[in-house]
Amino acid sequence: MSDFPEAAIYTLLTSDTDITDIIGDNVYPVLAPQNITGPYIRFQTITQLPDRQLIAASTLQHSRIQIDGYVREGNATSSPYFIIKDLMNKIRLALDGYRGDVVIDGGSTVHIDSLSLLNSEDILTGPNDGGDIPVYHISSDYSIGSQLTVPTHP
């Protein structure tokens, strides 16, 4: 078992064809390259809290993971706002309410006890590359309850 819910999020996002039909393989943990031309997703952990127990190590953690979708106005074939709204809705459909094991690269699994959308926010960002093309951006936070491997101590 893997203790990284981020690996499960990455796997769920990159294995959903409704999502990859829009963004291809443009899914990035924490930092995305600056020269991306098409729509893309970036995700990062905001908080990660173990579920404390009095007499033993925690076996459950609660994470808040932020998923951001971006599209530049000049690179869209239709309204970039509606492209990003559609993408983030497809992400919601893939993630919200998910429970179960996610097999990640290497064959290990992440057990997801709960996965739910907490909030979303529309953001229009000014150009960040010196040009004058706006970037449409939606930020969504998800709560994830996942299993931890219990440490063994002598």
Side-chain angles (χ1 to χ4, degrees), residues 83-94 138 142:
I83 290 171
I84 202 65
K85 289 298 270 189
D86 183 45
L87 171 62
M88 297 307 282
N89 186 55
K90 286 179 166 62
I91 291 170
R92 180 189 62 80
L93 292 172
I138 295 178
Y142 286 83

Side-chain angles (χ1 to χ4, degrees), residues 49-53 56-62 148:
L49 303 168
D51 186 22
R52 286 286 164 219
Q53 299 181 15
S58 178
T59 60
L60 179 65
Q61 68 182 355
H62 300 279
L148 283 171

Side-chain angles (χ1 to χ4, degrees), residues 66-140:
Q66 185 177 63
I67 300 173
D68 296 300
Y70 301 87
V71 65
R72 291 179 187 273
E73 185 163 310
N75 297 323
T77 55
S78 61
S79 168
Y81 178 72
F82 292 113
I83 290 171
I84 202 65
K85 289 298 270 189
D86 183 45
L87 171 62
M88 297 307 282
N89 186 55
K90 286 179 166 62
I91 291 170
R92 180 189 62 80
L93 292 172
L95 300 182
D96 197 22
Y98 187 90
R99 293 183 69 171
D101 290 334
V102 179
V103 178
I104 58 175
D105 285 341
S108 63
T109 61
V110 177
H111 182 76
I112 302 295
D113 289 321
S114 64
L115 178 52
S116 58
L117 175 65
L118 297 174
N119 67 302
S120 279
E121 178 183 7
D122 292 2
I123 303 166
L124 177 62
T125 326
N128 59 4
D129 59 2
D132 51 353
I133 300 172
V135 177
Y136 291 83
H137 168 200
I138 295 178
S139 183
S140 298

Side-chain angles (χ1 to χ4, degrees), residues 5-16 27 43 95 102-105 108 110:
E6 299 87 351
I9 292 294
Y10 181 83
T11 299
L12 291 170
L13 292 173
T14 58
S15 62
D16 188 297
V27 179
F43 67 93
L95 300 182
V102 179
V103 178
I104 58 175
D105 285 341
S108 63
V110 177

